[in-house]
Amino acid sequence: HGIEDFKESVGFVPQNDIMYSELTVEENLIFAGRFKLPAKTSEAEVLDQAQKVMASLGLSRIANSLVGDVTRRGISGGEKKRVNIGIELMAKPKILFLDEPTSGLDSSSAQQVMSSLRSLVERDNVTVTAVIHQPRKGVFELFDKVILLSIGGKMVYHGDVKEARDYFYSLGYTLPSGENVADWLIDIASGMSDGATLFNTIKPSMSNTSLSDMNDIDDRDSSRELNNNFSRDSSIHYPRFSVMERRNSSIGGGSVESKTYSVGRRPFNRNCSSLASSSKYVKAVDNIAKLERRSLNICWVKYLRNLDDQREYLPPSKYPLPEKMSNQSFLSQLQTQMIRNFIVSTRNLWSRLIDSSILVLASALVCGINGTLEVTNEDISTASFNILMISDDYKPLMSQFSQLFNYAMSSNSDLELFYLTIGVIVSLLVALQAARAMVDKRVEFFHEAGSGNNISAYFIALNITTMIEYMLQMSLVAAVVFWLRNTLTNYSVFFVFFGLLAWTSSAWSFFFAGFIPPQNLSVTIGFFVTFSGLIFGGGLPPFDYGFIYESPVNEVLCGVVSPTRFFTESMVVSEYRCLPEQSGFTYNAAIATNFSESESSFSSLNYGLRDVESIVDRSCSGWFWGALPFFLVGLMLRVIACILFHVQHRDEQAKRSFWDDMKRHGKTKDYTLVAGACCLAIGVAGCTVYAILKGEMTEATYPR
């Protein structure tokens, strides 16, 4: 078993304060309780536990205060640390681990935090284990036991705090007057303490070791050499340690000069100032400190061996492990995540309004630059009059089809460029918002996932809440474009396809967040959405719609990687479908008996070549053939992103690697879930490809 198998009994408080800055102190604790407490815990019990935790940590006074961060005023650093502790206490752990709980706090705040932890031990019988650096005297004396480690994790002392000084006194160390005991112990453990030194127990042959030879002594050699000089009843002596230095003589020979140095923070000898700045001096200090630390470790091992009563240092006898707690259900966690996300969004309302304003402003500027919609112009047809006289054969007329309907088809490039431009801009801004949503709460998410929270519930809740925000933004953008452009099609078409544009663009952010470092996510998303939207969107050569429909591979490639591929085509076709039959785009089967559906301006411009039968029907209600593949691309990316979040970033969640975890603890249920997730991803990908390629393309529909 590993410690991760007992998450219900163990709490871990990281060094950094990980909590939602937009929530109040009480709200942070309540939401932690909803996730951490057993499934059948009532809301009243959660609130009661939150009140008890706040009372025990002295947080009741600030229960309704926002935690805050660098952008908003909140509680103090010491109070944040106690809130961080309180979040773990909501699970009622038996053991609480803390990583440097006093780091970054002033002495008074540190005393308050550690006093609160001490009260947990005495009142609630919680075992508290903390890593702590440079504690003040009052803080250090709050501990019952201390484990002192030297560099490399070697133990040099483990026992009562009150007995630590006497133990090191017995080794010859002396606490300087006015020195803090904790600082003194850290100096000793580092091997750089003034006063008596343990490495002098090395046998005399080593006292004449040259600097170069001493550098060759590794940890194992020095440990073995020192260990050989310790016996159960041996006494410790403290002779001087002599370092030999070889100097070259003027006649090319070498002479050995012996100098005796003491070890400390000051120079070895006032007659050796030149040596004090040399690399040899530094090496000497490093090696002596290294031997000193080794000596401390061996002294502690010898001390343990000589103890008459070692029960305190032996593992306890076997006892029943705590029963597994029933976690909150998936739906319960999903609901809780969504409620918290909505609260966070409302507390960040000003930021959301700025984002929405930028989107609306960008759309308005693009519309202002391009002007109102013009789908026809005054270009005169250059088709021969004789060609227009159709008998039984209409094929001669088709040879001059583009010249005949030039007045409507010539606006295609401007219309296509407008929707491609606004599509790229909107998709980029939405994708950057989604990237920020993934990064902002990344640390909080990983910390909660490490505590056992359901990753899928968090991911789906984030998708739902962010998409509600994006759809509200897209409703404004669609309204602005619809009004300023004076379009032919109706508003619902704009709302649907701008919404699908946001759906797919944000999906790419979630996808890349699964494996791109957070500091590089915005740049990656910005590059990909802009590049793929412009190049593979179909509006620019060489990857225009003629290229896209040239082969199924091109259709799938452009349909998947470009957020603007279906948006641009759908919006352009929706505008042209409002034109009458005389434009060459629409088709009336009742009177056009000599023509087929494939012979239209849409086919000439390479639009909708997989939907030639319905695309020519005149309608101002839009063309939604591309809506399904557009939606499925975003869904496919989200499914893959969710799987990536389960597999990647395991170290940041304090978990083993996914495959190692499956080997150790994988059950039939777990393997079934993995197989189901893979089948879901493959199934959605298959449906996406099918939707992109649905519809038959006959020879006549290929671009001429």
Side-chain angles (χ1 to χ4, degrees), residues 287-304:
N287 281 280
I288 292 172
K290 184 178 181 181
L291 291 173
E292 180 77 0
R293 293 191 297 269
R294 274 301 194 185
S295 302
L296 285 167
N297 176 241
I298 293 172
C299 279
W300 175 249
V301 173
K302 177 180 179 293
Y303 173 80
L304 286 180

Side-chain angles (χ1 to χ4, degrees), residues 112-125:
Q112 289 180 344
V113 170
M114 299 310 296
S115 297
S116 299
L117 291 172
R118 180 68 193 184
S119 67
L120 291 175
V121 177
E122 297 173 347
R123 185 182 61 253
D124 300 329
N125 198 29

Side-chain angles (χ1 to χ4, degrees), residues 26 46 101 107 177 250 307 356 381 395 428 431 581 615 625 674:
E26 186 176 30
V46 174
S107 58
S177 178
S250 58
L307 278 178
S356 301
S381 174
K395 292 184 179 179
L428 174 61
E581 290 82 357
I615 196 174
W625 176 87
V674 171

Side-chain angles (χ1 to χ4, degrees), residues 347-386:
R347 302 272 167 85
N348 289 322
L349 183 59
W350 181 246
S351 175
R352 300 296 190 268
L353 290 175
I354 293 176
D355 292 339
S356 301
S357 300
I358 292 174
L359 270 167
V360 171
L361 178 61
S363 303
L365 289 175
V366 175
C367 292
I369 293 172
N370 287 270
T372 58
L373 175 66
E374 293 183 2
V375 293
T376 61
N377 53 43
E378 298 179 356
D379 289 352
I380 300 176
S381 174
T382 59
S384 171
F385 180 77
N386 294 329

